Amino acid sequence: MNRQRTGGGMNEQSGQGALSAAQRDTVLRQWNATAAEFPQCGAQQLFERQAAATPHAPALRCGDELLSYAELDARANRLAQHLRRRGVARGALLGVALRRTPQLVVALLACWKAGAAYVPLDPGYPAERLAFMADDAALALLLTEAAVAPLFGARAGVLELDTQAAAIATEAAQAPADGAAADDLAYVMYTSGSTGQPKGAMITQRGLVNYLWWAIGHYRTGPGSSVPLHSSISFDLTVTSLYPALLSGGCVELLREDGGAQSLVACLREAAPRALVKITPAHLELLTRQLDATQARDACRAFVIGGENLSAESLQFWRDAAPRTRLINEYGPTETVVGCCVHEVGADDARSGPVPIGRPIANTELYVLDAQREPVAPGAVGELYIGGAGVARGYLNRPELTRERFVEDPFSGRPGARLYKTGDLARWRDDGVLEYLGRVDHQVKVNGYRIELGEIEAVLAGCAEVGACAVVVREITPGQRQLVAYAVARPGQRIEADALRARLRELLPDHMVPAWIVDLPELPLTRNGKVDRDALPEPQRDGAGAQPRNDAERRLCAIWAELLKLDAVAVDADLFDLGATSLSMVAAAARMRSAFGVNVDVGLLFEQTTIEGLVRELGLDDASGQGSAAALVRVSRDAGMALSASQRRMWVLHHFDRRGSGYNMSVALRLRGALDLAALQRALDALVLRHESLRTRFEAAEPEPLARVEPPTPARLERIESGAATLQAREAELQELAAARLAEPYALTRLPLHRFVLGSADGTHHLLAIGMHHIVCDPWSWTVLLAELGTLYDGGAPAPREFDFADVAARQRAAAPALDALRRRAAAVVDAPVLALPVDA
């Protein structure tokens, strides 16, 4: 039988076939022994134990507000006493609809101390969805605040914690006698449902404590550690960010709520490293683009990445720039307490392809089964089932769905044990590591959120003008998965995409609103009458509308057209309606800073979502289109050129560690089919000729270093070979050889500062690895370089280039006085105290 389970230090994988009675007895004894190592209590008791041990240690930080463990515990106790006074009984469900402030954490702990479970209700969700969840849960009481309460209408049983603060403060500071126990519910978290309504997974205290106790040891959140909380309480990612630190003596930082996760970026730019950051792959991509190698090196001791499939390519920057940072892929449905399976990326792990999800955590069992729920052989694909302590009680008020997804466990030998049927496809590797391969049904994950496409389809079908519909996920822009809806109008009706999307925003959370709604005369069908999703056309994004009226608008339109892969973008078009995402907003901000020499806050792009609005807000609508910045002109290459600010920084740091490779960047391409070596060489030659950065070296000079562009020479294509016996082994060895070559340090004074490495495993399997020093390339440049390489290999000609990076660097320096003056004017109007700090003589 192909299964794995762990408990404490035990890690056992059985052989093929069903377990014998003796084997089951042995496994059961091991289970009982390891289960005893875990506290049989509610999570709030572990927090109380920690508060008693470190009463004066910082537990919670929010801006300038800091709560010690003793203060947090006392505030939660007082609220718990008040809840009991309000008639809250043990086992009750309490809604929590609060913004991200210390009061939120106080309320969550108080629910458990009062013996209740909480139902997280994100105030950012539409009112109709909040109302459904509150009604479905039959809340005994709703804990909220005056600013949020109107979202729930005239609902009975509402406790506004801010307006009742004085009464709560008079309660006793001791915890009620009988708080939540191991067999009680900890929380009910609603996830997307295929019927058109969300479903609530009921998580027990026993399952939660099992995960938290394991996480504390594995993720090393102990006294003195700092963990930022940046996600919604309605997303179970928050569980990892909040509770392991609070139960082990760490400090949780509550970050401000924002649309582009800029608060997390700002947090990680600070000098003090965070012990743990729980993020999605989309968050990781954002951090990769916003942090440089120096900032990344000490930003965090461990990234726990979950929510959707993780690729090795997305980890490349962190493996190179922050080799001491642990990168952990955590897999787990909401129905099995956040995470039940993990894989920590090691030095020997592959640098391309999907990252495996690894091995089960403590007291967890994983099974890969076929359609008859029989174990499949290692390497064979089956559906993943999860057993053990973390399995939820079921779905609230959904007995049929509970019976369908929570099935009898025939393997463990524990009476009443159940397995959760995930709907995920997986397979075991020969080394006992689990690989995730996708979904059995149409449930998807976009930006870390698990989404039932059927729920969106059900809501869309409920709109009066829609006769038929389908929703899919497409990757129209590389690396960005987005929802696309297809709608057929009812007779006599019309599909107005903007109006329909506005209606969906009233009914669905933002992450479930399709980026595009495509009007079709009919949906394509398969032979058996089902919607043929593979035949649905890609959306045609229309850039028609008001045309640019000045140079700034023309240049911004060009930036956005390239980012969104459009022929044109109108100045009055809503960029989100054209497919913009938070990641493309980050990219646009970086390109605008480079193109116009002005500081662009990403948050502004979420407020001004048209090009004309951005030009007006940034003051770029003067004659030059530059605002206060200098115009872009082509500078002379004859005598050395000035470096940009980032290049000067890298030049200095390079001389502290000339043999280091922290600024080496690389990408690897798997090429399939017959490779035209002559065409590849011509393409590489043309790429070096086209981009001056690939012909730029750097030299010491006074008062500061200079960059020199050298004449083009043929690109050097290095060849590597493998003599391994099998194709798989040859490919693995080529990857190792290429990685070792690209990790070698560069001498900034000599060309080239790039490397092209080619290896062939056989006549149709090739590896092309490209490396560069960060001083001549950045993460965004890879998209341009690889696209142009493909065009040149095919014999095409990319668009001509009028300017190069040297021109941008010159403009940046020319704009520096204006930006300094702007900063001085801003400082002059801020009423900030002057601090007299002691310094060494």
Side-chain angles (χ1 to χ4, degrees), residues 225-244:
S225 64
S226 178
V227 178
L229 175 62
H230 64 96
S231 52
S232 164
I233 59 168
S234 292
F235 191 7
D236 61 359
L237 180 150
T238 300
V239 170
T240 311
S241 301
L242 180 59
Y243 297 121

Side-chain angles (χ1 to χ4, degrees), residues 507-562:
L507 302 172
L508 295 169
D510 287 343
H511 64 268
M512 294 179 66
V513 177
W516 292 278
I517 297 180
V518 180
D519 182 11
L520 294 179
E522 60 184 14
L523 295 177
L525 302 178
T526 62
R527 285 177 177 267
N528 59 8
K530 296 183 178 180
V531 175
D532 187 353
R533 295 175 183 269
D534 293 335
L536 291 169
E538 287 202 4
Q540 300 299 312
R541 296 172 290 176
D542 186 6
Q547 299 304 302
R549 292 155 295 196
N550 55 49
D551 181 61
E553 289 184 347
R554 279 190 292 273
R555 291 162 62 192
L556 260 183
C557 285
I559 289 173
W560 275 106
E562 182 180 355

Side-chain angles (χ1 to χ4, degrees), residues 474-482 484 516 538-539 541 564-565:
R474 291 194 181 277
E475 193 171 295
I476 298 171
T477 301
Q480 297 181 8
R481 290 163 53 84
Q482 294 178 301
V484 181
W516 292 278
E538 287 202 4
R541 296 172 290 176
L564 299 177
K565 310 301 181 186

Side-chain angles (χ1 to χ4, degrees), residues 769-782:
I770 304 174
M772 297 185 190
H773 194 282
H774 196 2
I775 202 168
V776 297
C777 183
D778 60 35
W780 283 106
S781 299
W782 284 117

